Amino acid sequence: MPRGPKKIAAREDSEETRHTILRTAEQLFMEYGYRAVSTRQIADACGLTQPALYHYFADKQMLYVEVIKENTTKTQTALERIVRRNEGVAERLSLVVRYLHSTTQHDIGLMLHDIQHELSPQMQELLNDLFNTCLIAPIASVFEDGIRQGLLRHPQQGGLDAINSAYLLMTMLPKFIDRPQSQEGSALHSNRYGATIEQAEMVVQVLLYGLVREQTREQQIITLSADKKTIPDRNG
Amino acid sequence: MPRGPKKIAAREDSEETRHTILRTAEQLFMEYGYRAVSTRQIADACGLTQPALYHYFADKQMLYVEVIKENTTKTQTALERIVRRNEGVAERLSLVVRYLHSTTQHDIGLMLHDIQHELSPQMQELLNDLFNTCLIAPIASVFEDGIRQGLLRHPQQGGLDAINSAYLLMTMLPKFIDRPQSQEGSALHSNRYGATIEQAEMVVQVLLYGLVREQTREQQIITLSADKKTIPDRNG
DNA sequence: CCTACCGATCGGTAGG
DNA sequence: CCTACCGATCGGTAGG
């Protein structure tokens, strides 16, 4: 019959194992996707047998849900700290992008695809709400500031609303960094760490200021407006 | 022993069936991903048994490769027609975005993920090259025009090079349209067709001009430059 | 283009 | 936390 100390030791061991499973599952799910990662892969990577996972999580889906829950909650904390800073919109967006890029938050599109296609409707709704509350809302609040300050175009004057801006930022994030490369040897992750901050900065630059040179900007807007019939009042 | 007419009829039937399989597989692969679509699903949707597929394609991977080959080649034709038009950079990019949005080219990220993670190295290289040649290159040539004309910022002066710009355009494309919605009834695909062109236009607007209001743009660039130490010479 | 069937692997359970 | 095992499904083959 196990008593006090043994019980405590077992409990500590269990929580540590649970945490190991969560971290391992996060890495695998985020890289390969829900369906492509088997419960046996996760267990092997943790040094466990596959049935052992079911002591800690009800099933594969709930393990995935817990992974996303932990991830988004942790990210929310970091984002809200950045958002509350006493700095400009551009500076805070830069910090947001750098933070998101530094985490294993790699392919947001893969995560959203899994949520929409591989989970039960109840879990879909739960994780969608979590995604919107923990990730989109904090980022959108920065864009909201920008719109309120008159820095960003107002949605009713040809601008993009804060929530769509936040989505756009997240989708722009990892993609043109992780894009396929014509293989030139075995150095797959070669220039990934040097240019990282520069590329993160570029995302914010493009999102805020676009690709157009400053001098030609006004004339371009007029040109496109003739085709589009929007943004007519620049001094309204 | 079957003779002339019968043989011809069988051949026509075969090509039609092959085409049906390709179209069906494309829809399923592009929506759910390579791994999530079984060969039996594809066969069922075509009104065939699963082993019948293997008369037309060597295996599942080759079917996927043929789907991508057909898709990218068709898209290349359309893109190159747009690119050759006698119109401005912004107008041609608008046409590109509208075309890509109109096709089932939905989740480019899913496609790239499947190519990188689910196929053999040989097929990876083949499809990566195809992707770059058929999709990225034509779009990049428009950005190249913009840079050459002095319309877009030069890569060495804080701008983004043409190829990265093309990637960025493709990643911005479908995402903030297909984003998860808080379910409000069963009308899932509700406002998708009315606002389509407007949203496509918005992608080009943001990509070229960013989110910042015109009046405040110059001062913002100066603000960020102080933090970043780039784009110092606006009249260079 | 079908029926019948294969080995491998999947998520999950029984029982200790 | 393990061994042993389950039914279901996967991609693919044999043979006609």
Side-chain angles (χ1 to χ4, degrees), chain A residues 38-211:
Chain A
S38 73
T39 51
R40 278 170 180 83
Q41 270 178 60
I42 298 170
D44 286 350
C46 297
L48 300 172
T49 58
Q50 182 247 8
L53 298 183
Y54 292 81
H55 173 69
Y56 300 93
F57 303 94
D59 53 24
K60 188 186 182 186
Q61 181 179 232
M62 288 314 293
L63 170 56
Y64 185 80
V65 168
E66 287 301 317
V67 164
I68 303 294
K69 268 187 183 173
E70 235 192 24
N71 187 310
T72 52
T73 304
K74 198 188 83 183
T75 305
Q76 182 184 28
T77 305
L79 289 182
E80 287 184 342
R81 202 182 322 128
I82 292 172
V83 162
R84 272 196 280 268
R85 273 180 169 232
N86 262 337
E87 297 194 57
V89 170
E91 287 78 8
R92 283 182 290 162
L93 288 181
S94 271
L95 290 169
V96 165
V97 169
R98 282 186 221 176
Y99 175 80
L100 291 177
H101 187 272
S102 73
T103 66
T104 325
Q105 194 68 247
H106 269 145
D107 197 339
I108 202 73
L110 181 62
M111 190 182 111
L112 286 177
H113 182 273
D114 284 340
I115 292 177
Q116 310 310 319
H117 291 95
E118 307 283 1
L119 304 185
S120 71
Q122 290 82 1
M123 294 303 109
Q124 276 181 40
E125 197 175 347
L126 190 150
L127 295 191
N128 278 337
D129 289 351
L130 214 63
F131 182 81
N132 287 326
T133 305
C134 300
L135 307 184
I136 295 299
I139 301 175
S141 77
V142 181
F143 287 105
E144 200 65 67
D145 283 353
I147 294 172
R148 208 179 301 120
Q149 293 172 16
L151 188 86
L152 304 181
R153 275 179 285 168
H154 196 278
Q156 294 169 359
Q157 290 169 5
L160 194 60
D161 65 276
I163 287 176
N164 273 316
S165 300
Y167 269 99
L168 196 55
L169 179 141
M170 296 209 71
T171 66
M172 288 169 71
L173 246 173
K175 296 314 185 61
F176 77 113
I177 295 166
D178 286 338
R179 73 157 192 276
Q181 356 188 347
S182 308
Q183 295 152 329
E184 41 177 312
S186 59
L188 268 167
H189 317 84
S190 55
N191 60 349
R192 194 118 160 229
Y193 295 100
T196 271
I197 292 181
E198 238 177 81
Q199 285 172 320
E201 215 71 45
M202 179 64 79
V203 167
V204 178
Q205 284 285 322
V206 173
L207 190 57
L208 289 182
Y209 311 115
L211 297 167

Side-chain angles (χ1 to χ4, degrees), chain A residues 210-225:
Chain A
L211 297 167
V212 158
R213 270 178 67 191
E214 302 84 66
Q215 296 94 318
T216 55
R217 187 157 191 259
E218 191 169 327
Q219 121 190 26
Q220 276 305 311
I221 287 178
I222 292 168
T223 303
L224 202 65
S225 290

Side-chain angles (χ1 to χ4, degrees), chain A residues 31-33 35-36 90-91 94 98 107 109-110 112-113 116-118 121 124-125 128-129 131-132 143 150-153 158-160 163-165 167-168 171-172 175-176 179-183 201-202 205-217 220-221 223-224 227-228 231 234-235, chain B residues 31-33 35-36 90-91 94 98 107 109-110 112-113 116-118 121 124-125 128-129 131-132 143 150-153 158-160 163-165 167-168 171-172 175-176 179-183 201-202 205-217 220-221 223-224 227-228 231 234-235:
Chain A
E31 176 159 6
Y32 302 107
R35 216 186 185 87
E91 287 78 8
S94 271
R98 282 186 221 176
D107 197 339
L110 181 62
L112 286 177
H113 182 273
Q116 310 310 319
H117 291 95
E118 307 283 1
Q124 276 181 40
E125 197 175 347
N128 278 337
D129 289 351
F131 182 81
N132 287 326
F143 287 105
L151 188 86
L152 304 181
R153 275 179 285 168
L160 194 60
I163 287 176
N164 273 316
S165 300
Y167 269 99
L168 196 55
T171 66
M172 288 169 71
K175 296 314 185 61
F176 77 113
R179 73 157 192 276
Q181 356 188 347
S182 308
Q183 295 152 329
E201 215 71 45
M202 179 64 79
Q205 284 285 322
V206 173
L207 190 57
L208 289 182
Y209 311 115
L211 297 167
V212 158
R213 270 178 67 191
E214 302 84 66
Q215 296 94 318
T216 55
R217 187 157 191 259
Q220 276 305 311
I221 287 178
T223 303
L224 202 65
D227 177 57
K228 218 208 142 202
I231 331 177
R234 287 186 29 251
N235 288 321
Chain B
E31 177 158 5
Y32 302 107
R35 217 186 185 87
E91 287 77 9
S94 272
R98 283 186 221 176
D107 197 339
L110 182 61
L112 286 177
H113 182 273
Q116 309 310 319
H117 291 95
E118 306 282 1
Q124 277 181 40
E125 197 175 347
N128 278 337
D129 289 350
F131 182 81
N132 287 326
F143 287 104
L151 189 86
L152 303 182
R153 274 179 286 167
L160 194 61
I163 287 177
N164 273 316
S165 300
Y167 269 99
L168 195 54
T171 65
M172 288 169 71
K175 296 316 185 58
F176 77 113
R179 73 157 192 277
Q181 355 189 348
S182 307
Q183 295 152 330
E201 215 70 47
M202 179 64 78
Q205 285 285 323
V206 173
L207 190 57
L208 290 182
Y209 311 114
L211 297 168
V212 158
R213 269 178 70 191
E214 303 84 66
Q215 298 92 318
T216 56
R217 187 159 190 257
Q220 275 306 310
I221 287 177
T223 302
L224 203 66
D227 179 58
K228 216 206 144 203
I231 331 177
R234 287 185 29 251
N235 287 321

